[in-house]
Amino acid sequence: MNRFSKSLTTCLILFIALVCLPARTSAQSERNSLAQTPPMGWNSWNKFQCNVSEDLIKSVADAMATNSMKEAGYEFVVIDDCWQVKRDADGNIVADPQRFPSGLKALADYIHGKGLKFGIYSDAGTLTCAGRPASQGHEYQDALQYGKWGVDYLKYDWCHTETRNALEAYTTMSNALLATGRPIVFSICEWGTAKPWLWGAGVGNLWRTTGDISDKWSSHKKWADGSCCELGMLEILDLQVGLESFSGPGHWNDPDMLEVGNGGMTTPEYRAHFSFWALLAAPLLSGNDVRSMSAETKEILLNKEVIAVDQDSLGRQGRRISKNGDREVWARPLKDGGRAVILFNRGTSEAEVAVTWEQLAYPGHLSATVRDLWDHKDRGSFSGSYKTKVAPHSVVMVKVLP
Ligand code: GLA
């Protein structure tokens, strides 16, 4: 190689380093600048499955804008599966003209007009889980379409992907979304199969860690094909243990959407469900009919003190710090140096549950205030530890602050 071609090669390498690499880094940091706290909103699937329409979505947006949900931080209105029916001659994805006669651009405008954001659903395979056309091979075309409609959030599922590589599939759609120039939160819905917590940061803003939640406290029911198993709230909770370190601002573990208000659990059980999702820094996507909520459901979904734990700007996911049979303690460090603590009784009779300051990584000699986040009362100042009786299938959730 002569001197001229050497310097040409050096120039070329420098050019690639200066132009191409920063582009990738800025793409990643752009991705990571979204969802600095876990996304909050509503998703149609848990309650309505395929029964979605523009009338439903508009009435949900109306309700959220006026029933204090928007004020509490619920922001995204997400249509899950079944809004799409086919592709047109040019391969563009087409929304069901019967159910969405005004089209998705008009729906997005409506939702934005309410001060809310618009989310949509697709899938990395050939078909969605409900058998509708999905995005494989149409990633950039679909992303551009979403950008034109005014989509702010994409949930991207994993059905009918055959042998497709998950990292490749999600990176392709991630890059397609970035190429639209529109900030779109990217929700990886891969069910934890390919351990998305290992590679999801920088690709998406949240990733499902498990299969679908069912509206049950606990379930070991096998699926119809004999495979294992339907997941209740407790099974999902237990599967979060050990994943704490992968979550943080812009990239969250997603233990699936909320079932609060759907009828399969008691009020204390739903309170526990909501408390744990907040402690886990989970996305809070309500999955009930928010147009007609009972007082109990509202009290849970609108508990500002528990929501503040979920949205704490330190962004550290909580973890289980002790387990003694049915008695457990979970804790999460907060930005102000306090700890959100859940004293949990899985059992069927009342139990006393205790936490020591040392378990919370505080010096044992300190005094700390304890505030009950469900009763909204200060319990006083305690030295070294706190204990309380916890009802069956219930939590006591407190904030401890030295
Ligand atoms: C999968 C997802 C669910 C839901 C359905 C829709 O099961 O995990 O959250 O989106 O598909 O078909």
Side-chain angles (χ1 to χ4, degrees), residues 24-25 27-33 167 170-171 174-175 178 186 188 196 198-207 249-252:
R24 171 148 176 78
T25 312
Q28 283 176 340
S29 55
E30 190 185 331
R31 164 71 55 222
N32 287 336
S33 74
L167 175 55
Y170 284 96
T171 303
S174 178
N175 290 339
L178 289 173
F186 189 33
I188 296 172
L198 295 177
W199 47 264
V203 176
N205 299 106
L206 56 154
W207 50 81
H251 53 275
W252 308 100

Side-chain angles (χ1 to χ4, degrees), residues 213-274:
I213 191 169
S214 66
D215 184 19
K216 293 180 181 166
W217 176 249
S218 173
S219 173
H220 299 283
K221 211 172 93 189
K222 291 205 170 174
W223 294 115
D225 65 3
S227 68
C228 212
C229 287
E230 186 178 76
L231 298 169
M233 195 278 286
L234 284 188
E235 288 69 38
I236 299 245
L237 178 65
D238 288 336
L239 287 166
Q240 308 313 307
V241 173
L243 298 182
E244 305 83 23
S245 67
F246 300 104
S247 165
H251 53 275
W252 308 100
N253 286 312
D254 173 9
D256 206 359
M257 302 167 296
L258 296 163
E259 291 285 11
V260 176
N262 280 336
M265 292 184 236
T266 64
T267 299
E269 289 173 348
Y270 278 140
R271 232 177 256 141
H273 173 22
F274 196 70

